[in-house]
Amino acid sequence: MDKESLAAVASAIVASGKGILAADESTPTMGKRLALIDQENTEVNRRDFRQALFDTESMEHFISGVILFEETLEQKSEEGIRLSKILESKGVYPGIKVDKGAHPMDSSSSEKITKGLDGLYERCVDFYKLGARFAKWRAVITIGEGIPTDECIQANASALAKYAKICQDANLVPIVEPEVLMDGNHTIEICYEVSEKTLRTTFNELEKEGVYLPGILLKPNMVISGKECSVQADMNKVAQMTVKCLMASVPEEVPGIVFLSGGQSETEATEHLNAMNAMGEYPWKLSFSYGRALQQSALHSWGGNNANLATTYAVFYHRAEMNSKACHGEYSPELEI
Ligand code: 13P
């Protein structure tokens, strides 16, 4: 483990005003995204849309890293250039999703455990050789009747910690992503309680495994009302409760917290991040690692047709710029086009 380079990469990813594009949808998930624009889930469609994002001129002013699915790490453009090289040429770190998905737990079938530890070290070594400098593993915690169970939180935290240690041994910065889902009719208070418990358990496990905290990034959900909750907390409450939860559970050595968007709209995700950064200074950088909240409008602009590339670039650039402003607490809805 090269601690110095792990810490340097983690800090560079959350350098001032920069964040991550999560473009690591698995092939079936990408199929769902392409279905929204009536396009087939072909390798060419997956490549062309992702290449449009990566080709966007000056996106590197706002995007420091892109999380890729395995297919994309080795995929080539029509001109025969590896997509990850396009990122590297702009000084953007390629990252790689290394988990093998969330599967129903044996002991509690409405809950999920993320798998993928088998052969992980060898895979990480190969990914490093292919240019990846960071990795991602997503654990999923569901709120519902009688869940999450302690077993689910514990098992996912333990797997996240083992993954993080293996990544660091292979010199990849691990993004530790314990996602408490927005699905459900729970209140923001319940989300707070579950998120704090999940984060505390995760950091306990990271410590037990001997994970080097300056060489990780945390990717949590925001503390937010369940999607079907009849009372939706407003922007300030989301920002205040999210910060309170992180202050109570995330050690200061962690260089950055990069939120997932988790089903929030593009502007909600930007507004919430902005509100937190406008509220004060924190021991860690607060930035973004958005999937849907960075890609949705760009996907619709592209529409499966490369004749629309110019508008696709403009729309993606704008979304990335808005989130960069949110990292400084300088976003305002009036800046939307
Ligand atoms: P969303 O921002 O769409 O939640 O995606 C982020 C991600 O990487 C989920 O694992």
Side-chain angles (χ1 to χ4, degrees), residues 189-206:
E189 284 78 19
I190 300 282
C191 178
Y192 180 98
E193 205 179 294
V194 173
S195 300
E196 188 182 321
K197 186 169 181 176
T198 301
L199 289 173
R200 281 182 188 273
T201 311
T202 301
F203 280 100
N204 272 341
E205 290 298 314
L206 291 168

Side-chain angles (χ1 to χ4, degrees), residues 68-144:
L68 305 173
F69 191 58
E70 260 180 72
E71 175 183 83
T72 322
L73 186 63
E74 297 201 64
Q75 206 167 27
K76 289 186 177 151
S77 70
E78 216 171 338
E79 299 76 37
I81 300 166
R82 274 184 44 210
L83 298 198
S84 61
K85 292 281 170 205
I86 299 177
L87 297 174
E88 283 171 23
S89 71
K90 297 179 165 203
V92 174
Y93 289 109
I96 181 80
K97 170 189 170 75
V98 299
D99 68 65
K100 295 281 187 186
H103 300 268
M105 281 180 80
D106 290 340
S107 56
S108 174
S109 61
S110 58
E111 297 189 281
K112 291 187 168 164
I113 174 76
T114 301
K115 298 198 173 162
L117 290 172
D118 289 347
L120 181 58
Y121 178 76
E122 291 72 20
R123 289 167 54 225
C124 285
V125 169
D126 289 345
F127 291 143
Y128 187 97
K129 285 186 199 147
L130 287 168
R133 289 296 173 268
F134 71 102
K136 157 183 149 174
W137 175 292
R138 173 175 176 254
V140 179
I141 307 293
T142 311
I143 299 179

Side-chain angles (χ1 to χ4, degrees), residues 4 17 19 60 82 99 133 195 201 225 236 262 273 281 322:
E4 211 173 300
E60 66 274 18
R82 274 184 44 210
D99 68 65
R133 289 296 173 268
S195 300
T201 311
S225 314
N236 286 324
L273 177 63
E281 297 273 319
M322 293 300 100

Side-chain angles (χ1 to χ4, degrees), residues 18-277:
K18 290 192 183 181
I20 296 172
L21 164 66
D24 61 320
E25 297 83 358
S26 64
T27 302
T29 302
M30 203 52 200
K32 288 190 212 160
R33 305 284 186 266
L34 288 165
L36 296 172
I37 53 163
D38 294 323
Q39 291 297 310
E40 276 184 52
N41 192 12
T42 61
E43 190 184 337
V44 169
N45 275 337
R46 292 192 294 275
R47 181 198 68 192
D48 283 1
F49 176 59
R50 285 166 167 160
Q51 191 181 341
L53 304 176
F54 306 168
D55 275 343
T56 297
E57 199 182 324
S58 300
M59 63 79 130
E60 66 274 18
H61 295 166
F62 317 120
I63 304 288
S64 50
V66 178
I67 318 175
L68 305 173
F69 191 58
E70 260 180 72
E71 175 183 83
T72 322
L73 186 63
E74 297 201 64
Q75 206 167 27
K76 289 186 177 151
S77 70
E78 216 171 338
E79 299 76 37
I81 300 166
R82 274 184 44 210
L83 298 198
S84 61
K85 292 281 170 205
I86 299 177
L87 297 174
E88 283 171 23
S89 71
K90 297 179 165 203
V92 174
Y93 289 109
I96 181 80
K97 170 189 170 75
V98 299
D99 68 65
K100 295 281 187 186
H103 300 268
M105 281 180 80
D106 290 340
S107 56
S108 174
S109 61
S110 58
E111 297 189 281
K112 291 187 168 164
I113 174 76
T114 301
K115 298 198 173 162
L117 290 172
D118 289 347
L120 181 58
Y121 178 76
E122 291 72 20
R123 289 167 54 225
C124 285
V125 169
D126 289 345
F127 291 143
Y128 187 97
K129 285 186 199 147
L130 287 168
R133 289 296 173 268
F134 71 102
K136 157 183 149 174
W137 175 292
R138 173 175 176 254
V140 179
I141 307 293
T142 311
I143 299 179
E145 198 63 34
I147 58 172
T149 59
D150 288 350
E151 291 72 23
C152 174
I153 293 177
Q154 182 58 47
N156 274 297
S158 165
L160 272 169
K162 290 190 168 76
Y163 138 82
K165 180 66 171 57
I166 292 169
C167 282
Q168 289 191 333
D169 285 342
N171 291 318
L172 293 178
V173 170
I175 295 192
V176 173
E177 180 178 3
E179 174 175 7
V180 177
L181 294 178
M182 273 174 83
D183 302 333
N185 60 4
H186 53 273
T187 60
I188 190 170
E189 284 78 19
I190 300 282
C191 178
Y192 180 98
E193 205 179 294
V194 173
S195 300
E196 188 182 321
K197 186 169 181 176
T198 301
L199 289 173
R200 281 182 188 273
T201 311
T202 301
F203 280 100
N204 272 341
E205 290 298 314
L206 291 168
E207 195 184 327
K208 262 197 241 164
E209 288 293 330
V211 172
Y212 176 60
L213 294 185
I216 74 162
L217 293 169
L218 176 70
K219 176 163 173 169
N221 53 286
M222 294 182 193
V223 175
I224 198 162
S225 314
K227 253 190 230 154
E228 287 88 42
C229 181
S230 53
V231 187
Q232 291 288 313
D234 65 15
M235 180 183 75
N236 286 324
K237 188 154 184 190
V238 170
Q240 278 161 7
M241 289 187 71
T242 303
V243 164
K244 184 174 168 205
C245 180
L246 297 171
M247 291 296 243
S249 52
V250 183
E252 295 196 354
E253 301 96 289
V254 174
I257 296 175
V258 288
F259 293 103
L260 57 92
S261 58
Q264 299 181 53
S265 72
E266 290 181 337
T267 49
E268 274 168 350
T270 307
E271 284 174 6
H272 287 148
L273 177 63
N274 185 67
M276 286 183 246
N277 280 314

